[in-house]
Amino acid sequence: LTNTDGYALNADSLTVDQAMYCREGFTAHGEVRLLGAHIRGQLDFTGASLTNTDGYALNADSLTVDQSMFCREGFTAHGEVRLLGAHISGQLDFTRASLSNPDGLALGLEGASAGVLFLLPRERPDGVVNLTNARVGSFHDTLDSWPEAMWLRGFTYEVLENDTVSVRQRLSWLDRHQGGYAPGLYDQLAAAYRRTGHIEAARRVGIAKQWRRRGELN
């Protein structure tokens, strides 16, 4: 699909009763737009290539997927992937994806929700990742998946699945937040540690929160 000056696919308010497949060689030059769409099965972009360097590669605000959404295993986006307020009941999977938008947001998940979020791209996203007010049940990530800049205020998760990341490293993850000192980031991290029985880790996060507060507020 090619329309470099506009929409490659315009499917606002689309309803699909089962699954939607845009995968295995699916290519779009121009914006793929799924505002307010409702996919009752899975939405699969595995191996797809989306390019719109002057705007949104994928624009899916208020998207609803009743099962899982796969943007994985070779999925490539040049331009912003935007899922503002989207609701994914199952997995939202970016395993081995490539996300690039050097002058802006590479991935926008503000206000989105998912049962599971896999943020495990092939390389560090080239651009900002916005997780403001996003809500997930469990969160999978790695050190190499963290972009240089993130928005994390209000990001809530029940479980951090990667136990190989140390408390010190996880605190450095919070430091990538672009909004300055936000005490809620530390409270959320400490709560996640407590839920999994890591009481000492939660205590260390609480201490780091107080040191950061004193440093920021003098």
Side-chain angles (χ1 to χ4, degrees), residues 17-91:
D17 286 339
Q18 295 186 37
M20 179 174 175
Y21 300 113
C22 303
R23 63 183 187 186
E24 306 299 343
F26 175 87
T27 302
H29 294 277
E31 182 177 327
V32 174
R33 180 174 160 124
L34 294 170
L35 270 62
H38 186 182
I39 314 301
R40 294 196 170 102
Q42 66 184 25
L43 175 57
D44 195 348
F45 283 98
T46 299
S49 177
L50 311 181
T51 301
N52 186 23
T53 55
D54 295 326
Y56 303 119
L58 174 62
N59 188 359
D61 290 358
S62 301
L63 171 72
T64 299
V65 179
D66 290 348
Q67 294 184 23
S68 294
M69 180 174 177
F70 301 116
C71 301
R72 62 184 183 182
E73 302 302 335
F75 173 84
T76 302
H78 296 284
E80 182 178 340
V81 174
R82 176 180 163 113
L83 294 167
L84 181 68
H87 176 72
I88 316 299
S89 295
Q91 302 174 11

Side-chain angles (χ1 to χ4, degrees), residues 11-166:
D12 291 359
S13 302
L14 172 74
T15 298
V16 178
D17 286 339
Q18 295 186 37
M20 179 174 175
Y21 300 113
C22 303
R23 63 183 187 186
E24 306 299 343
F26 175 87
T27 302
H29 294 277
E31 182 177 327
V32 174
R33 180 174 160 124
L34 294 170
L35 270 62
H38 186 182
I39 314 301
R40 294 196 170 102
Q42 66 184 25
L43 175 57
D44 195 348
F45 283 98
T46 299
S49 177
L50 311 181
T51 301
N52 186 23
T53 55
D54 295 326
Y56 303 119
L58 174 62
N59 188 359
D61 290 358
S62 301
L63 171 72
T64 299
V65 179
D66 290 348
Q67 294 184 23
S68 294
M69 180 174 177
F70 301 116
C71 301
R72 62 184 183 182
E73 302 302 335
F75 173 84
T76 302
H78 296 284
E80 182 178 340
V81 174
R82 176 180 163 113
L83 294 167
L84 181 68
H87 176 72
I88 316 299
S89 295
Q91 302 174 11
L92 178 54
D93 192 349
F94 291 96
T95 301
R96 296 189 60 77
S98 179
L99 304 170
S100 177
N101 189 25
D103 298 323
L105 288 179
L107 177 62
L109 295 177
E110 183 173 354
S113 62
V116 183
L117 174 60
F118 292 89
L119 191 56
L120 302 168
R122 202 165 46 235
E123 64 275 323
R124 195 182 306 278
D126 187 7
V128 179
V129 171
N130 187 357
L131 295 171
T132 302
N133 295 326
R135 304 176 307 282
V136 301
S138 62
F139 181 49
H140 298 252
D141 66 346
T142 65
L143 293 173
D144 294 337
S145 73
W146 299 348
E148 295 298 328
M150 304 183 74
W151 290 92
L152 294 168
R153 187 185 298 272
F155 176 42
T156 59
Y157 41 87
E158 294 296 317
V159 179
L160 290 169
E161 297 291 351
N162 189 350
D163 290 333
T164 66
V165 177
S166 69

